[in-house]
């Protein structure tokens, strides 16, 4: 972090700002991780829902029900991510990948984001 005086700030003020920035670096990193986890959860849910809608007739109903339940669980956890941190269930991305695989290799789909 680089803070320079452009006028009106004393060296003590600059040092105080640098110390505060360093002290809050951990909290800032945690907040960034939560935002990234929420964004990934949104992306995975959207991608999985879209794939499921497009190819619902090719996926067994039991899998459709399980995927929809997992999407709902991820959305519920995602809504609480600001309070509980990174807690989204990995089951939805894995089952979402199963939905992609169920439509066949000729579909051009490579699996849901976040599944590796």
């Amino acid at each position: 972090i680089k803070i320079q005086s452009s006028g009106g700030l004393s060296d003590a003020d600059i040092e105080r700002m640098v110390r505060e920035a360093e002290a809050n670096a951990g909290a800032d990193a945690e907040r960034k991780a939560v935002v990234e986890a929420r964004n990934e959860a949104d992306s995975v849910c959207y991608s999985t829902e879209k794939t499921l809608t497009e190819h619902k007739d090719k996926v067994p109903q039991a899998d459709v029900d399980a995927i929809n339940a997992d999407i709902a669980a991820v959305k519920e956890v995602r809504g609480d991510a600001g309070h509980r941190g990174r807690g989204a269930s990995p089951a939805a991305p894995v089952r979402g990948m199963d939905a992609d695989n169920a439509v066949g290799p000729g579909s051009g789909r490579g699996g849901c984001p976040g599944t590796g």
Side-chain angles (χ1 to χ4, degrees), residues 52-60 64:
L52 195 57
T53 300
E54 291 173 356
H55 305 287
K56 192 173 186 175
D57 57 329
K58 298 178 185 177
V59 180
V64 170

Side-chain angles (χ1 to χ4, degrees), residues 54-75:
E54 291 173 356
H55 305 287
K56 192 173 186 175
D57 57 329
K58 298 178 185 177
V59 180
Q61 187 60 43
D63 290 345
V64 170
D65 294 341
I67 291 167
N68 285 329
D70 287 339
I71 289 171
V74 169
K75 285 182 177 181

